[in-house]
Amino acid sequence: MKKSLIFLIALLVSATTFSNSIQAIEPDPIDEFETLASYLETNVDFIKGDMPIIMADEVKKNFKNEKYHIIDIRSDSWFEYGHIKNANNVKAAELLNYFETKIKPADYEKIVLICYSGQSAAYYTGLLRIAGYNNVYSMKWGMSSWREDFAEGFWLKKIKSDGDSKLETTENPKAEVGVHPTLSTGKTDAKDILRARLEELFAKPYSDFIVKSQEVFETPDNYYIVNYCNAENYAKGHIPTAKQYQPGASLTASTDLYTLPTDKKIAVYESTGQRAAYVIAYLNVLGYDTGNIAYGSNSFMNDILDKNDWDAFSKKEINMYPVIE
């Protein structure tokens, strides 16, 4: 009897030890952010190079070209008021589904997204590029560059120079390297994590990520302000407290990505708000809290941009191209 009892105790001890050893060798949960960031840096080109933005004249020359597919993401009423011939009206929230079920994206040389000002189209083009559709482009200035009546309620209404006297030329140091956002999709594969992030972001309107320049000037300490322009542009004058991040070279894990904070909204701007829209698409996928300063520097220093030939919007950017009404 004693031998049997001793045997049972030994068996239980052995089983407990084995169980504990299994638990001890369980792998640590993956860091979803680092997994996704590594994948994006390998597969997304625009954050390390030129933004996929094309001009209205290219679209005008190719609207009959079967290898070009034009998608207008404006409201139904604006689309009915006037749109480019052969354009397809698709709601922004439906874009991912449209690409997956309604068209064969690989059949086209270029798929062009068009909006009112070029900013929301750039944002959703960024998301689609991140999703792997590398033939998607946004049209610069949006329909504001197509005909003057489209520009009147958007670019022509928004360009201002009332911030010229409020700019600073001080070089502000970036934040110290810190923690990154925590992603909790529950996925382990980078593609699965990305899919979950994209589904969440396509469900949110672009308006959630707009910041007005007036708000940033009035309360700069509420934001971590990113000037996504070259050093020369930055030195001419920038929003107080803004830090300069070099386009195409500053938002990777090996450069300055980890200097972006997780405890403040990151307000990004450059001249037009269009390249910044690509940046916030990228950062949003990674889980940062971002905002695009609407209409970029054109919303507060248009005269300075014009004098330096730095993407200032003016009536010379407007064509008089035909539309379908």
Side-chain angles (χ1 to χ4, degrees), residues 223-255:
Y223 302 91
Y224 184 85
I225 307 169
V226 171
N227 176 285
Y228 197 70
C229 299
N230 61 39
E232 180 187 2
N233 186 302
Y234 179 76
K236 284 284 186 181
H238 48 267
I239 300 173
T241 78
K243 289 80 173 164
Q244 190 249 341
Y245 282 70
Q246 185 66 25
S250 59
L251 294 178
T252 63
S254 61
T255 55

Side-chain angles (χ1 to χ4, degrees), residues 150-203:
F150 295 113
E152 286 172 352
F154 296 93
W155 273 104
L156 291 178
K157 186 178 179 181
K158 300 297 182 180
I159 52 176
K160 292 182 174 63
S161 297
D162 55 0
D164 289 3
S165 62
K166 303 173 186 176
L167 302 176
E168 68 173 16
T169 56
T170 304
E171 182 178 351
N172 299 304
K174 298 178 180 69
E176 296 293 326
V177 171
V179 298
H180 59 66
T182 299
L183 299 180
S184 303
T185 67
K187 310 296 182 181
T188 57
D189 180 77
K191 291 182 180 180
D192 293 334
I193 298 169
L194 175 57
R195 178 70 190 196
R197 295 295 302 141
L198 288 171
E199 288 178 354
E200 181 179 340
L201 290 169
F202 272 107

Side-chain angles (χ1 to χ4, degrees), residues 210-322:
I210 294 174
V211 177
K212 295 180 180 179
S213 59
Q214 181 180 353
E215 297 172 5
V216 180
F217 272 102
E218 290 176 353
T219 56
D221 290 338
N222 287 350
Y223 302 91
Y224 184 85
I225 307 169
V226 171
N227 176 285
Y228 197 70
C229 299
N230 61 39
E232 180 187 2
N233 186 302
Y234 179 76
K236 284 284 186 181
H238 48 267
I239 300 173
T241 78
K243 289 80 173 164
Q244 190 249 341
Y245 282 70
Q246 185 66 25
S250 59
L251 294 178
T252 63
S254 61
T255 55
D256 300 313
L257 181 65
Y258 290 106
T259 64
L260 297 175
T262 58
D263 59 351
K264 270 189 177 182
K265 181 177 283 292
I266 301 164
V268 184
Y269 80 99
E270 37 72 42
S271 298
T272 70
Q274 293 166 83
R275 291 183 294 276
Y278 281 95
V279 171
I280 68 166
Y282 187 82
L283 295 180
N284 281 353
V285 168
L286 287 172
Y288 288 98
D289 179 13
T290 71
N292 186 4
I293 297 181
Y295 297 90
S297 305
N298 273 280
S299 68
F300 58 85
M301 53 182 285
N302 178 261
D303 286 345
I304 293 175
L305 297 179
D306 188 43
K307 289 175 184 176
N308 289 278
D309 196 24
W310 288 340
D311 264 341
F313 188 85
S314 67
K315 286 193 173 183
K316 68 182 181 181
E317 301 293 341
I318 305 171
N319 299 285
M320 283 303 293
Y321 291 153

Side-chain angles (χ1 to χ4, degrees), residues 96-115:
L96 193 57
N97 179 62
Y98 182 81
F99 271 65
E100 292 176 344
T101 66
K102 304 297 183 183
I103 61 172
K104 294 181 178 178
D107 288 348
Y108 301 102
E109 178 184 338
K110 289 186 179 181
I111 301 172
V112 186
L113 261 59
I114 295 171
C115 66

Side-chain angles (χ1 to χ4, degrees), residues 129-150:
R129 284 252 170 177
I130 291 168
Y133 299 108
N134 292 325
N135 57 344
V136 190
Y137 297 78
S138 61
M139 188 172 81
K140 191 172 185 179
W141 312 119
M143 288 299 286
S144 293
S145 67
W146 200 264
R147 209 171 68 177
E148 187 168 354
D149 53 338
F150 295 113

